[in-house]
Amino acid sequence: MTLVPGGTFMMGSDDFYPDERPVHRRVVEPFLLDRHVVTNEDFVRFVADTGHVTVAERPIEESDYPDAAPWQRAPGALVFTGTRGPVDLRDWSRWWRWQPGAQWRHPEGPGSSIEARMDHPVVQVSFEDAAAYACWAGKRLPTEAEHEYAARGGGDDRAPFAWGDEQHPGGVVRANTWLGRFPYDNQGPFGASTAPVGTYPGNGFGLYDMIGNVWEWTSDYYTQRHHPPGTAQVEAGARPTLLAGVGAEPGSSIPRRVLKGGSYLCSPDYCLRFRPSARSPQAEDTATTHIGFRCARDR
């Protein structure tokens, strides 16, 4: 872990997606943060020590998804599948498929393996899985504000990208994001996949892959706009006292948490979210091939 010094910064952005607003001043106390996201090798040790069974390895409760077909409630997860050509980018189902048998050991489903990817981020982990790992490690998940502040690495908190004003300064790619036309043409060195942790240079705090590679779970509930300090907000630890459905999608009772950092699927023509202020909602029970996590700890 590395010590992230405390400080005050301007959180959010008025220039991109509506849920990044309003820009507001936030204070972050000093805290410790993992230099890298949790890898497959790390997760192997956790499971060996605890016997933890991830959400993707368990059958889905019919009460949570009453309209789902029986085969859709079998253990499994979402897997990215590139298309052969251009598609309607408003329809995410064109490139995501529900894959029975997909889980952290077999990220793309039966027949896939992590054997050659032990230094890659663990994926196909839900919020519950990430929180269980953090507890086992004597840590916690970072807050959204902590992640955004740390992703800046001490740089300009008004620059759109973690490294400055340009997506690829001097033509140099600074993170594992989608290069080409989404979702059918990826010209990046790793294609539509994760990269080994630490492949790209660290930031000013000595943190790697805070942007790109995989989205990262945070402890915050998702809201459609920021709630600056002093306004009504949902605290991460208050869920047991809340009504079901806080932060959930319409028609669902599954709460959503904030993801930060973007992933290898973030493309300027579809998802310009490989920026510190960008955020994405994700249901707590959902695991995919582009979501991982790292842990924090109070100083």
Side-chain angles (χ1 to χ4, degrees), residues 43 52 76-77 83 105 128 151 166 189 221-222 246 263 266 296:
F43 209 75
H52 180 81
T83 62
R105 293 184 184 87
E128 178 186 322
E166 301 179 37
Y221 285 109
Y222 177 80
V246 169
S263 79
C266 283

Side-chain angles (χ1 to χ4, degrees), residues 10 19-20 48 107 112 199 201 222 226 235 252 273 294:
M10 299 304 294
D19 67 349
E20 298 174 34
S112 64
T199 296
Y222 177 80
H226 283 305
E235 297 296 340
S252 172
R273 287 188 165 91
R294 76 179 71 212

